[in-house]
Amino acid sequence: MKGRISTIKLNIVVFAIVAIIAMCIGCKSKQAITIPSTKTVEVEKLVTKTVRDTVIEVEADSSYYRAWIECVNNKPVLKNPISIAGKNQLQAPKVKLDDLGQLMVDCQTENLELHARIEELVTELNTKETQYVNVPVERELTFFQKVFINLGKIFGVILLGFVGYGAFKLYKKIYGR
């Protein structure tokens, strides 16, 4: 009978040690679920169109004509005419002298109308970044969670007392004092 009681005590001690190890492993706190932060980027494209009328200056231009007028048989005649055209657009003058003595000089040029309309496009990019960061919020324990925690502490102390008492009895039995 005495051998049977010592095996029961040994079984209780082993059970107590296994229970303590299981309680230490089972009391691990839960890991918080981390949701990655989100980041949104908004790009706003602003295009500004500016229209400007511009005056383009045309350089001054001149042509030249020189000749002597002489009377031959009572009629005017041009002698040694020199005709020079302009630099850019102006042609050399056309000169006519009729029998009555009337001098006609004709200078022609092409149209010099220059219309300039400048359109300027300015593109501006505005970026707006919004970042949402998830902050873990700690919640209070519920009533039942608090009760179970406190009961676990009480039973743990009682179990440690039994284990200590059993270890003390075993020590006393082995070393006999």
Side-chain angles (χ1 to χ4, degrees):
M1 188 79 160
K2 203 172 193 183
R4 186 172 168 102
I5 293 176
S6 69
T7 51
I8 293 174
K9 286 183 181 179
L10 184 62
N11 286 341
I12 290 174
V13 170
V14 171
F15 176 73
I17 292 173
V18 171
I20 289 173
I21 292 172
M23 280 196 328
C24 289
I25 293 173
C27 292
K28 182 179 173 186
S29 63
K30 292 183 180 178
Q31 296 277 336
I33 298 173
T34 56
I35 301 171
S37 60
T38 58
K39 184 177 184 179
T40 58
V41 177
E42 294 177 19
V43 177
E44 181 182 343
K45 185 177 180 181
L46 180 66
V47 179
T48 307
K49 182 178 181 180
T50 307
V51 178
R52 287 187 259 155
D53 291 328
T54 305
V55 176
I56 297 177
E57 252 182 66
V58 178
E59 292 183 25
D61 200 2
S62 63
S63 62
Y64 176 77
Y65 184 82
R66 183 174 70 178
W68 291 97
I69 301 175
E70 288 186 1
C71 286
V72 176
N73 298 333
N74 282 335
K75 291 186 179 179
V77 177
L78 295 173
K79 188 176 182 186
N80 297 331
I82 299 174
S83 178
I84 300 174
K87 297 176 193 170
N88 297 326
Q89 298 281 334
L90 201 56
Q91 298 172 357
K94 295 176 185 173
V95 179
K96 289 184 185 176
L97 183 62
D98 62 5
D99 292 338
L100 300 175
Q102 184 178 9
L103 179 67
M104 292 186 291
V105 179
D106 188 17
C107 293
Q108 292 182 355
T109 183
E110 295 178 15
N111 286 345
L112 295 177
E113 292 180 12
L114 298 175
H115 299 285
R117 183 178 181 145
I118 297 174
E119 292 183 1
E120 182 180 4
L121 293 176
V122 177
T123 304
E124 187 177 328
L125 295 176
N126 295 328
T127 57
K128 181 181 178 184
E129 292 185 15
T130 307
Q131 187 170 5
Y132 299 100
V133 179
N134 295 319
V135 179
V137 178
E138 292 186 22
R139 296 186 308 178
E140 283 191 35
L141 296 174
T142 64
F143 172 74
F144 291 109
Q145 288 173 335
K146 290 178 185 176
V147 167
F148 289 133
I149 288 172
N150 291 328
L151 284 175
K153 289 177 185 177
I154 292 170
F155 288 129
V157 169
I158 292 172
L159 187 62
L160 280 176
F162 280 127
V163 169
Y165 178 71
F168 176 71
K169 286 289 209 173
L170 188 62
Y171 177 77
K172 195 173 176 186
K173 184 177 182 183
I174 292 175
Y175 293 111
R177 278 209 240 168

